[in-house]
Amino acid sequence: MAPPLVRRLITAASLSLVVAATMTALPSSTANALSSDVVISAVYGGGGNSGAVFKNDYIELANLTDSPVDLSAWSVQYASAAGAVFQLTSLTGSIPAHGRYLVQQAAGAGGSVNLPTPDATGTIPMSGTSGVVALVTNKIPLVGCGISCWSAPNVKDLVGYGATANVETLAAPALTNTTANARTGALTDTDNNAVDFVSGVPKATNSAGTTVSAGDPGGPGDPGDPTPGTRRIHDIQGSGRISPIVGQNVTNVPGIVTAVRVTGSSRGFWFQDPSADADPLTSEGLFVFTGSTSPTVVIGDSVLVSGRVTEYRPATGAQTLTELGGTISTIRLTGGNALPAPVPVTFPEAYTKSGSLEAQPLEPSSYVLDWLEVHEGMRITVAQDTRLISPVNTAFSELWVTLKPGENPTPRGGTVYSGYDALSSGRLLILSLNGGAPAANVGSTLAAGTTGPLDYQSFGGYVLLATQLGTITEGGLKRQKVLPPKKQGDLSVATYNVENLAATNPAAKFARLAEAVVDNLGKPDILALEEIQDNNGATDNGVVAADETVAKFIAAIETAGGPTYDWRSIDPNNGTDGGEPGGNIRQVFLFNPARVTFVDRPGGDADTAVSVVRERPTSNQVSLSVSPGRIDPASDAWASSRKPLVGEFLYDGNKQLFVVANHFNSKGGDAPLSAAVQPPVRSSEVQRVKQATEVRDFVKDLSVKSAGRAEVVVLGDINDYQFSPTIQTLTENGTLLKTLIDTLPVNERYSYIFDGNSQVLDHILISPAIKGYSYGVVHINAEFSDQASDHDPQVVRILTGCNVDPLPTRCRPGSPVVDE
C-alpha cells in the first residue's frame, strides 16, 4: 500500500505532542534540532525608534503542544549580528498550551503604544536591523559557539535576522523600525530562518492571550470599527502564487461567507468579494483559518475580517494556500446575502509548466495549475456531467472526476497514467464539505452542479469543497475473474497486497480476501502476499510472529471453497521493515501442496542473506543456499523497508521455479503532482532504485549460474511505475526480466488508483526461460468503493509444453486471463 498523505483535517499550526494534561517539563538537553514544542514565534528590535509604534523591543515564544510548558529554568539570549557575546534574560512561569509568551526588552525614546503585559522583562537593546535571538533551556550564557550557535547544547531554537551568519541555514529578513519578523502561520520549524519567518507589521501576544498590533497601515487601524479597510481579497491574493503582502496584518477585509468548516483542527471559513477587480489573475476568494475554534459565521453573512496574511504550505514540496491566520477578528454586518456567482470549471489542455511555479507568471488560459491558482478560494462549479475516475472514498466523502472524458480513458472508466509526461489534465478532486457522499465506483456519473470554494490541501492538492454535490449515478462496474485454465498442468502464480492483514482484523475482511483468492483469482497454485502483519497487528509490543494471521487466512480460503494452502515466510526483526508502526509487515508465500512442492533449505532467518549455489562446479543446476531466504537483509537499501522473500519451488514433474516476492519502499516523501516545482521531486525513488539493484543482481546471479535456464518470477508491490527508473533497473531495461504489465494495451496498465490516476504499482516479471504464459491484472478493488484492499491482484499462468521451438499456438503471449 502506498501510505496516505496527511489530509488537511489538521494543520501544522495545530499539531501537538500527545502529553499529559499536567504541566510538561521538557528535557533540558533538547537542542540543535527541529523544535516541535516551543519555538521563537516573533522578534522585533525597532521599539522606540523613529517611526515605531511600539515603545519596546520584544521576543515572542509559542507553545505547539497540548499542555503548558514550564519555562522557569529557561532563558532567551541575544547577540548582535557580528557579536560573540550573548546577553541573557531569565524566563519565569510557564507558557500555556497552544499559547504565547512575551518577553519585553529595552525601550527607545519614541513610540506611542505599550506592549501587552509582558510575561518576562529584560533590558536588552536589540538591533532594529540585524541580530541573533536564541531560546535556551538553561540560564547559562552562550559562549564559544561562533556562527553555529543553533547546534550548541541546550539551544531549543534560534533565529538570525538580517546581515548575520549566525543562523539556522539562512537568515530571516532584516528588521526595520516598522516591521517585525513572525514565524509563518503554521509555526513550523524547518531549521531554515529564511523559510520559517516573514516580515510584517509588529504584533505581540502574551500568555494571557492579549494581543496588541501596530496596526494595518492600509486600514482604519481598529478591528472593532465596522468600517471596511482599504485592503480587498484580490489585494491579498495578488497576481502571483504568493501574496504580495504575506506576513502583514490586514484589517476589516470585506466579503461574503461562502462556506464554513466547523470540525477538526483546521476549522475556518471561506469568504469572497462580490465586487471583483478587472485583473483576471487575482482571486476574489480567501480562506480564514481559525484553528480548533469553530467560526460563528454562516454562509451568506457579510463580514469584515482582520488577521495576518499567511502562505500555508501543507506538505514538503507542495504549493501554498493563501489565507488569513493569526489572531482573527470577524465583524458580521448582515446575513442572508446572495453568494457570488460560481465560475464554471474550464481546464486548458496542458497540466503545468516546468520549473519553480512560484517564480513564474500565471497563465490560466494555458495551464491547469495556473487556472486553479487564480481561482483559489473562489466558488467554482462543474457545469457538465462528469465521470468518476476514482471510487468515492466514503470515509472522507472524496472522489475524482474527469472534465475531459476522452483523455487517456481505461476500458472500465478510469484515466490511465502512462508516463511522467502523460499526466491527465482533466482530473479534479471533489470533497463534499458536509460529508455524506454516497458509495460509487469508477465509471459512475456525477451530474452537473457540484459547487463550492476551491481549496488547496496536502491530500490531492487543489480540491473543490462542495457545498452542493451533484447526483451520482452508479455505472454498473463488475469485478473481474480469472478465466479457467486451458490445460491441467498450467501453473498459476499470483501477487496480492492484502493491506495490513492481521489476526486482529474482523473475520469479514478475511472472508472477503479469501473469496477473491478462490473466485476471482481461480485458486492460484502459488500466491505471494504483501502486507501480512504480525499476530497483534499495530500493537507495538515486540511480537513479530504472523502464524496466527496466516492460519486465519488459510482457514478462510478453505471455508470459501479453496485448497488447504501451506505457507512459508520469515519473521522480520521487530520494527525494522517499515509499514504501520507495530505491524511488522512482511511477504508470505501461500502454495497448494497438491500442485507444487516447496523446497525447504534450512537456515533462513531475518539476518541471513540467501545466495545462489551451483550443485556442482561445472553444473548449470542451481539451488538456493536457504529457502525461504531474504536478499541481502543487511544492505542499507532495505533500511526501514521490507526485505525480498525468495523461495524455491518444484512443479509439473520437478521443474524448478524461483519466486522472489517484493514490497519496495513507498512513495511517501515525494512531492505531489501539483508541486511548487515541476516536475515533482521523487525523493523516495533513490531507495527503490537501490532495492531494484539488489534484486536485479540476485536474479542475474541465478541467470548466469544456470546458463539462463532458471525459471524466475519476480513479483509484488514494487511501488513504482512500469516506465520508472526502478523498473528499468530491476529488469536491466528488459534484457534480464520481462515486465508483463507492458504486454497489455496501454490503457489497461494499472493496478492501483491515486490522485485520480489509474496507475501501476504492482508487478509480475518473468525470466526469459519462461517461454509460454498468459497474464492479467484482476480488477476487484482499486476501482470500487467497497474494497478488501486498495490494490488489485495479478496472475501469471505458466503454460506447460512451451519450452520448444517454434512455440505452439497456445504458448504465444497475449491470451486473455481475466473476464467479467
Side-chain angles (χ1 to χ4, degrees), residues 138-202:
N138 63 24
K139 298 186 179 184
I140 301 172
L142 295 170
V143 292
C145 52
I147 61 171
S148 300
C149 294
W150 63 272
S151 63
N154 300 103
V155 172
K156 167 64 65 174
D157 193 18
L158 180 144
V159 55
Y161 56 92
T164 181
N166 200 350
V167 299
E168 291 180 349
T169 310
L170 295 171
L175 302 181
T176 70
N177 295 343
T178 58
T179 60
N181 278 341
R183 194 174 289 272
T184 55
L187 299 180
T188 305
D189 181 14
T190 70
D191 273 358
N192 186 334
N193 296 155
V195 172
D196 293 345
F197 286 85
V198 294
S199 176
V201 176

Side-chain angles (χ1 to χ4, degrees), residues 8-84:
R8 194 174 181 188
L9 300 178
I10 58 174
T11 69
S14 60
L15 289 174
S16 58
L17 301 177
V18 180
V19 292
T22 57
M23 184 178 296
T24 303
L26 297 174
S28 62
S29 60
T30 302
N32 55 60
L34 301 176
S35 181
S36 59
D37 34 59
V38 180
V39 295
I40 299 168
S41 54
V43 291
Y44 174 60
N49 294 350
S50 175
V53 174
F54 285 136
K55 298 177 181 179
N56 291 77
D57 303 337
Y58 67 84
I59 300 165
E60 183 191 274
L61 310 178
N63 179 3
L64 308 183
T65 76
D66 288 332
S67 298
V69 174
D70 184 1
L71 302 182
S72 59
W74 294 24
S75 63
V76 291
Q77 301 187 29
Y78 169 82
S80 65

Side-chain angles (χ1 to χ4, degrees), residues 376-399:
E376 178 187 84
M378 294 177 62
R379 297 184 77 226
I380 62 173
T381 186
V382 180
Q384 73 269 28
D385 291 356
T386 54
R387 187 180 76 242
L388 270 63
I389 55 174
S390 76
V392 175
N393 182 333
T394 54
F396 293 96
S397 289
E398 289 177 344
L399 58 131

Side-chain angles (χ1 to χ4, degrees), residues 201-264:
V201 176
K203 183 175 72 170
T205 302
N206 63 15
S207 62
T210 303
T211 299
V212 176
S213 173
D216 175 12
D222 181 3
D225 180 357
T227 304
T230 59
R231 302 286 195 190
R232 294 294 183 268
I233 291 175
H234 47 250
D235 299 324
I236 296 169
Q237 287 282 8
S239 59
R241 282 186 156 80
I242 304 298
S243 170
I245 56 172
V246 62
Q248 295 185 23
N249 293 319
V250 291
T251 304
N252 289 0
V253 180
I256 305 296
V257 176
T258 59
V260 181
R261 182 161 55 208
V262 296
T263 59

Side-chain angles (χ1 to χ4, degrees), residues 561-600:
T564 302
Y565 282 103
D566 202 348
W567 68 285
R568 298 292 186 275
S569 186
I570 292 177
D571 292 337
N573 293 317
N574 187 46
T576 61
D577 282 24
E580 186 177 24
N584 290 308
I585 58 174
R586 83 290 308 273
Q587 295 85 265
V588 171
F589 291 128
L590 299 188
F591 61 94
N592 183 352
R595 298 281 292 125
V596 297
T597 300
F598 190 90
V599 180
D600 287 294

Side-chain angles (χ1 to χ4, degrees), residues 255-450:
I256 305 296
V257 176
T258 59
V260 181
R261 182 161 55 208
V262 296
T263 59
S265 55
S266 179
R267 305 179 193 185
F269 61 93
W270 289 261
F271 74 132
Q272 185 168 334
D273 194 330
S275 301
D277 67 359
D279 188 347
L281 302 183
T282 57
S283 170
E284 301 295 339
L286 192 64
F287 179 61
V288 178
F289 172 64
T290 61
S292 58
T293 301
S294 295
T296 57
V297 297
V298 297
I299 293 175
D301 281 353
S302 174
V303 294
L304 301 175
V305 185
S306 303
R308 183 185 291 272
V309 179
T310 301
E311 291 290 346
Y312 168 75
R313 197 178 301 276
T316 301
Q319 295 188 59
T320 62
L321 174 69
T322 306
E323 63 183 23
L324 290 185
T327 301
I328 297 297
S329 171
T330 304
I331 299 173
R332 180 180 179 274
L333 301 177
T334 61
N337 295 276
L339 302 186
V343 177
V345 181
T346 53
F347 284 168
E349 286 305 309
Y351 183 69
T352 188
K353 49 200 159 190
S354 297
S356 174
L357 301 185
E358 292 173 0
Q360 300 181 56
L362 294 170
E363 302 175 78
S365 62
S366 299
Y367 301 103
V368 171
L369 288 185
D370 288 10
W371 189 97
L372 291 164
E373 173 61 29
V374 303
H375 294 93
E376 178 187 84
M378 294 177 62
R379 297 184 77 226
I380 62 173
T381 186
V382 180
Q384 73 269 28
D385 291 356
T386 54
R387 187 180 76 242
L388 270 63
I389 55 174
S390 76
V392 175
N393 182 333
T394 54
F396 293 96
S397 289
E398 289 177 344
L399 58 131
W400 286 83
V401 299
T402 179
L403 302 174
K404 301 175 182 178
E407 182 182 53
N408 304 322
T410 72
R412 295 167 57 83
T415 296
V416 74
Y417 184 39
S418 59
Y420 294 123
D421 58 351
L423 190 60
S424 299
S425 61
R427 299 168 304 114
L428 176 65
L429 173 61
I430 296 171
L431 184 153
S432 177
L433 191 57
N434 300 316
N441 304 324
V442 165
S444 299
T445 300
L446 175 68
T450 295

Side-chain angles (χ1 to χ4, degrees), residues 504 533-543 574 580-584:
T504 54
Q533 292 193 343
D534 62 34
N535 293 330
N536 56 27
T539 301
D540 192 2
N541 61 355
V543 170
N574 187 46
E580 186 177 24
N584 290 308

